[in-house]
Amino acid sequence: MSAILYKCKVTETDIPYHGHHEEINIKTLMKIRIQKRYSADRFTFEVLKSEYGIYAVRGPRGIPNSLSLALKK
């Protein structure tokens, strides 16, 4: 099941790192802090489609105001 499970805040970016993991070459990292946990059934991909009009997540993006407000509750 695909779902939003956490709200996180980035606390540090561009941390140098020179490591390899299988076919991935990692050059920088970031630190994040969990701010909130959501129930696995609250923001499922089906809910995102039917209630918020989100049909694909392919990278960083803005979110509809209605979803932003729901995530803050």
Side-chain angles (χ1 to χ4, degrees), residues 38-58:
Y38 301 105
S39 167
D41 61 347
R42 176 62 187 101
F43 295 108
T44 64
F45 193 58
E46 289 303 316
V47 169
L48 295 177
K49 286 192 292 187
S50 65
E51 293 184 26
Y52 303 103
I54 296 173
Y55 294 94
V57 178
R58 301 187 195 278

Side-chain angles (χ1 to χ4, degrees), residues 5 10 12 33 35-36 44-45 50 52 61 66:
L5 298 175
V10 175
E12 191 175 345
R33 182 178 64 229
Q35 294 185 310
K36 193 170 191 177
T44 64
F45 193 58
S50 65
Y52 303 103
R61 61 170 287 162
S66 56

Side-chain angles (χ1 to χ4, degrees), residues 7-11 31-36:
K7 177 182 178 181
C8 299
K9 180 176 184 165
V10 175
T11 60
K31 289 184 181 181
I32 60 174
R33 182 178 64 229
I34 294 175
Q35 294 185 310
K36 193 170 191 177

Side-chain angles (χ1 to χ4, degrees), residues 14-21 25-29:
D14 299 323
I15 302 167
Y17 180 82
H18 301 288
H20 299 280
H21 184 284
N25 185 11
I26 302 168
K27 296 181 182 176
T28 59
L29 303 174

Side-chain angles (χ1 to χ4, degrees), residues 52-54 61-69:
Y52 303 103
I54 296 173
R61 61 170 287 162
I63 61 172
N65 260 356
S66 56
L67 178 56
S68 178
L69 292 172

